[in-house]
Amino acid sequence: MKTYRRLFDSVTAFPNLLLASKLAQRGKRFRYETACFNFGLEKDLVKLQEELISGAWTPGAYHSFTVFEPKERPIVAAPYRDRVVHHALHNIIEPVFDAGFMDDSYACRDGKGTHAALDRAQDFLRLSRFVLQCDVRKFFFSINHETLRSIISRKIGCARTLAVIYKIIASGGSVGLPIGNLTSQLFANAYLNELDRFVKQGLGRRRYLRYMDDFLIFGDCKSELADIKIKIAGFLEDRLQLKLKETKSVIHHAVNGVSFLGFRLFPCHRRLTGANVAKFVKHFKALRADRRGGTVGFQEMNASVRAWVAHAEHGNTWNLRAKILSGVPL
């Protein structure tokens, strides 16, 4: 495995920090803290650069909130200037890690994503009699910091870059990673890349794919997949200090389909899950009410509905879309 050194100058280079500030403000340009930072942009970036180079930079306090879709999850948001640091770091180290990831890891990676994962899963489903579906219990909150630092240091050999990374890892507490950090997504993929290599190389399973902590393994022998599940559970506990979510780690008959990333996949077709449909219908009703009340404009409503339609079009959903959106101008 190649170890990358001398990355710190690239991380802290002013053009990289400037690019990071532009990336950090996407969708947040008119927020107060973003506007304050941008008001003295060059001065603030130079100050941030000096803090990083001297080692004085430390992460600020997170702002916490809760989302309830698709399930209740605590989310944290770092201060804006910290998000600039996350982007600056990500710009340089993401290609380093991504080059070592397995092709069938689909979350938070350029050229991958939800729909590519669905296509690949359905290809595997057509070739298999059974599918083992697994989910890691409380994944982000269970990541062991010592193990994560060990994994990262095998790839990054630059001490000053590692110092920044370790500060970010520690900023969320003694265990786990904060959901909401850009770097958390990358570190989580690096963490479970260990699992990918164990399944693909250690167990020799070619029909395998993962989307963050939800992964599928396909095969023709149910008892063999049951044995694989036991081996994976052991690997996760021994190597990564993680546990499978038993209620969601089950073997399905391929002909009966498997629920994955908001769709129910079958060998020859796919449908949106009931939960996905219910979530959109609830959102759609709220949008229409806000539109009638004048708090949401037509363009905003139109963009939101079209985004869902673009997602739903990846399944056999013509009749469903027609039923839900009947009579609605778009």
Side-chain angles (χ1 to χ4, degrees):
M1 177 186 293
K2 181 177 179 180
T3 300
Y4 290 79
R5 307 179 189 278
R6 299 179 182 176
L7 298 174
F8 191 71
D9 287 348
S10 297
V11 172
T12 59
F14 189 85
N16 185 50
L17 292 173
L18 181 61
L19 172 60
S21 71
K22 293 178 180 178
L23 294 172
Q25 69 179 271
R26 288 187 301 191
K28 304 176 178 67
R29 184 178 176 186
F30 299 106
R31 293 186 180 179
Y32 178 75
E33 63 173 343
T34 308
C36 288
F37 192 89
N38 285 341
F39 182 75
L41 181 61
E42 183 174 346
K43 181 181 69 174
D44 287 335
L45 287 178
V46 168
K47 185 174 186 298
L48 189 57
Q49 183 186 48
E50 290 172 349
E51 289 181 15
L52 288 167
I53 292 172
S54 69
W57 176 80
T58 56
Y62 287 101
H63 166 64
S64 301
F65 58 97
T66 303
V67 298
F68 296 91
E69 297 289 354
K71 58 185 178 182
E72 184 175 347
R73 292 186 302 166
I75 306 293
V76 298
Y80 179 75
R81 74 192 310 266
D82 286 2
R83 294 200 296 272
V84 173
V85 174
H86 293 181
H87 277 280
L89 187 64
H90 190 271
N91 289 346
I92 305 304
I93 70 171
E94 188 274 339
V96 168
F97 282 102
D98 193 77
F101 291 162
M102 294 291 190
D103 285 343
D104 283 314
S105 168
Y106 287 89
C108 309
R109 298 180 65 195
D110 290 341
K112 300 290 184 177
T114 301
H115 300 132
L118 290 167
D119 291 342
R120 184 66 159 166
Q122 197 161 30
D123 287 343
F124 285 152
L125 204 58
R126 294 189 186 102
L127 300 172
S128 312
R129 293 181 60 206
F130 301 98
V131 54
L132 168 62
Q133 181 174 33
C134 294
D135 192 2
V136 178
R137 183 165 67 89
K138 296 182 179 179
F139 169 55
F140 272 92
F141 304 109
S142 302
I143 291 175
N144 182 279
H145 286 188
E146 183 179 354
T147 303
L148 177 59
R149 289 193 296 266
S150 174
I151 291 169
I152 291 173
S153 64
R154 295 204 311 262
K155 201 74 174 176
I156 305 293
C158 175
R160 299 174 81 186
T161 301
L162 284 174
V164 175
I165 292 173
Y166 292 169
K167 285 181 180 180
I168 292 173
I169 291 173
S171 66
S174 60
V175 66
L177 292 177
I179 299 178
N181 279 356
L182 173 68
T183 48
S184 292
Q185 299 168 0
L186 177 61
F187 297 157
N189 262 338
Y191 204 78
L192 284 185
N193 186 55
E194 303 293 300
L195 171 66
D196 298 343
R197 293 193 172 276
F198 173 72
V199 175
K200 286 271 196 175
Q201 299 173 353
L203 300 179
R205 305 304 301 188
R206 297 174 62 187
R207 282 177 256 166
Y208 161 84
L209 63 90
R210 179 176 61 82
Y211 191 96
M212 201 48 73
D213 59 331
D214 193 356
F215 57 95
L216 305 175
I217 303 172
F218 302 79
D220 296 318
C221 179
K222 190 173 183 179
S223 61
E224 184 181 26
L225 288 177
D227 182 58
I228 286 171
K229 177 185 171 182
I230 293 172
K231 291 177 180 177
I232 286 175
F235 175 83
L236 287 173
E237 290 198 41
D238 295 342
R239 177 71 181 90
L240 300 176
Q241 296 78 52
L242 299 173
K243 293 182 180 293
L244 288 178
K245 188 183 296 182
E246 284 297 329
T247 56
K248 292 191 175 182
S249 299
V250 295
I251 298 172
H252 306 273
H253 286 271
V255 293
N256 294 333
V258 59
S259 294
F260 187 56
L261 302 180
F263 284 85
R264 185 74 182 179
L265 300 182
F266 299 89
C268 296
H269 68 287
R270 67 181 76 157
R271 300 171 182 164
L272 285 169
T273 61
N276 189 299
V277 175
K279 175 184 173 182
F280 174 73
V281 170
K282 179 181 178 181
H283 174 65
F284 185 44
K285 288 180 178 178
L287 274 177
R288 298 190 75 177
D290 290 342
R291 168 73 175 139
R292 288 191 294 269
T295 57
V296 169
F298 176 78
Q299 293 299 328
E300 183 179 348
M301 174 179 168
N302 190 42
S304 180
V305 173
R306 285 188 178 276
W308 178 80
V309 168
H311 175 65
E313 283 177 338
H314 287 267
N316 303 87
T317 60
W318 172 263
N319 290 334
L320 173 68
R321 284 180 279 130
K323 180 179 179 180
I324 294 174
L325 300 175
S326 177
V328 179
L330 295 175

